Amino acid sequence: MTNTAGFLRKHWKGYAFLIPIFIVLGTFKYIPFFNAVKMSFYDWNGANVKEFIGLDNFVRLFHDDTFYASLKNIGIFTVSGMLIQLTVPLIAAVLVFHVKNMKLQNMLKVWFVIPLVIPSIVIYLTWQWIFAGEYGVLNQFLEAIGLDSWTHAWLGESKTAIWSIIFVNFPWIGGITFLLYLAGLMSISSELFEVAKLDGMNAWQRFLRLELPLVRSQVKLVMVLTIIQQIQSFENILVLTNGGPGDTTISPALYLYTKGFSYSEMGYASAIGLVLFIILLLLTLINNKFVKNTDKID
Amino acid sequence: MNRKLLALPHYGSLALLLALTLFPFYMLIVSSVKYTQQAIHNFWGISFPLHFDNYSVAFKQIGPFIGNTVLISSGIVVGVILISSLAAYSFVRFNYPGKQLFFVLILSLMMIPGYLILIPQFLLVQKLDMLNTYQGQIFPPMAFGAAMATFLMKTFFEGIPKSLIEAADMEGAGERQIFMKIIIPLSLPIIATVAIINFLAGWNNYIWPLVATNGDAVKPVILALSTITGNMDQGVGVKLAGYIISSIPLLLLFVVATKPFISGVTSGAVKG
């Protein structure tokens, strides 16, 4: 056994420094992860009833209308999220980037990211107030400009609820996307802009031929981040509508939460989580294969 | 001439976008100092007298929970920095079999989304008798922050000249001295970034405390926001005042540490 002793004497320091992190990760991430996978094959209420049922949870899931409704909803969230993140924050970043006065540029940058600094729950609660049926900001505005007939209980009606959730944070600039685009623009060599000026390009041509192609790695990154984020939509929906009315705004993560904690169907909830995780994993693999190579951010 | 013509739409659209971005916060602020009657008569503007008493009423309801949140968030920050900097040091300083594997094991955790392990984590914390405790709100989020932090710190430590460490080694400094006297003092920028990412995450945590606590003893302020109430006269103003109070600490952090704040939120986003 001298071999083991010698090995340890030589390497113990390297392993010793890893012990704390693996105690924490082992307890609070690895064990729960394996339990989540295991539980998805059980009928389990979290306490006394626990029975192995094989793939029954998954079979049931693929016949569950609410689950399909939730997939449809995150489809809507993802597509609209991508359209939003591709347009307004990019336009804002270009506009801020071309402000010549550096002091003003910096000030604009700081003011635009204020929503990022506010706790996200405060943002959701504020927008809940904006969308409120009675004395909500949006309805008050519509009444003030004489469009009384356009008022709605925005979050409470099935036709408007999902679009209201998407509308939160309008005009959608105050986020990470804006900062990523801006960083991308700043890394473009200033000589290129000189050339564009000499060529007599107008702002639109410059945007199409110079800025858009040169921030494409940021655009890709933003797309990936948006997809991952939207698929996991949870807190915003929980706070704003709790998935309602009916199933019109429910997301898979929120469905998991409801099944697990309101109905104590812990096994079924875990199956939902596992399917969602596999979808995300596949998307990440696709991303690593086709997109990641060109990513660069600073 | 051409330039001036272009400047108008440029600055005009910037001004419009900025106004739209900040408008909700303007409404939040002016409405937080109104009573119900003032809001009915003057919904959009500033209305006198300014009812700062809304703030004291709101603070009475959420004040104690701000202390809880500060304690929990700070606990997460200290824990993450401790375990992640030790791990990063191990990866940069030593060579041993399985090093790459351990690193991948830590990094791959970033792939596991929070909701997937929400239920087993709840059952675990219940079994460990940590429901309704501070540590129950510190350790699981700490495990979430550690992977990203290890990655960031490892990258940063790799940029510290090896010659510095070797020189200290020659002079007979132990690992503890090298770590405390060389690595940590040189790594303050990345430590600040990691601290801000995790402080923000701790402050914003909503789902986990919702699941892992009930009652008031260790409740964080974010959970207390939905239960703020004012009387008939005060109306919604008290609620809005509470929203603002709970945002002030993060705003202050942003003002005093704008740079690490921005690099923190952007590098934190890329973990997906």
Side-chain angles (χ1 to χ4, degrees), chain A residues 188-223:
Chain A
I188 298 176
S189 142
S190 58
E191 283 162 26
L192 288 175
F193 289 104
E194 298 287 330
V195 174
K197 209 165 149 192
L198 289 176
D199 278 357
M201 282 192 203
N202 63 32
W204 177 243
Q205 289 167 328
R206 190 183 59 203
F207 176 71
L208 281 184
R209 295 199 207 145
L210 189 65
E211 286 147 356
L212 196 56
L214 286 172
V215 295
R216 67 176 183 281
S217 62
Q218 276 79 14
V219 170
K220 280 182 188 168
L221 178 64
V222 165
M223 291 299 95

Side-chain angles (χ1 to χ4, degrees), chain A residues 248-296:
Chain A
T248 48
T249 57
I250 200 162
S251 73
L254 179 60
Y255 191 39
L256 174 159
Y257 176 82
T258 315
K259 277 289 173 200
F261 291 100
S262 305
Y263 296 95
S264 288
E265 294 188 33
M266 305 256 177
Y268 191 57
S270 298
I272 299 172
L274 200 62
V275 169
L276 200 51
F277 173 60
I278 290 167
I279 293 175
L280 270 179
L281 207 60
L282 288 176
L283 286 172
T284 310
L285 288 177
I286 292 170
N287 162 46
N288 281 348
K289 191 136 194 190
F290 299 108
V291 186
K292 216 37 174 290
N293 310 337
T294 50
D295 280 353
K296 231 189 287 162

Side-chain angles (χ1 to χ4, degrees), chain A residues 14-15 28 30 95 119-120 225 266, chain B residues 10 90 97 105 119 121 204 269:
Chain A
Y15 295 116
F28 294 99
Y30 292 119
L95 290 174
S120 44
L225 289 176
M266 305 256 177
Chain B
H10 183 184
S90 165
L105 273 178
I119 292 169
Q121 229 170 19
N204 276 310

Side-chain angles (χ1 to χ4, degrees), chain B residues 124-138:
Chain B
L124 174 81
V125 166
Q126 190 178 41
K127 213 192 268 173
L128 295 174
D129 229 354
M130 291 209 283
L131 288 182
N132 278 319
T133 61
Y134 290 118
Q135 60 273 33
Q137 292 181 80
I138 290 173

Side-chain angles (χ1 to χ4, degrees), chain B residues 61-70 215-222 224 227:
Chain B
Q61 296 180 38
I62 63 171
F65 306 118
I66 293 178
N68 285 341
T69 294
V70 170
D216 282 350
V218 295
K219 188 198 253 180
V221 65
I222 288 298
T227 55

Side-chain angles (χ1 to χ4, degrees), chain A residues 7 11 14-15 18 21 27-30 32 95 98 119-120 122 129 141 225 232 257 266 269 273 276-277 281, chain B residues 10 31 44 86 90 95-97 105 109 111 113 115-116 119-121 124 143 150 175 204 206 210 246-247 250 269:
Chain A
F7 179 84
H11 294 301
Y15 295 116
L18 289 180
I21 199 168
T27 314
F28 294 99
K29 289 211 86 169
Y30 292 119
L95 290 174
H98 284 293
S120 44
V122 169
W129 169 58
F141 176 73
L225 289 176
Q232 310 195 51
Y257 176 82
M266 305 256 177
L276 200 51
F277 173 60
L281 207 60
Chain B
H10 183 184
S31 308
W44 304 101
L86 290 175
S90 165
N95 273 313
Y96 46 86
L105 273 178
L109 286 180
M111 286 295 308
Y115 53 79
L116 175 62
I119 292 169
Q121 229 170 19
L124 174 81
T150 306
E175 299 305 335
N204 276 310
Y206 178 68
L210 191 63
S246 71
S247 309
L250 293 189

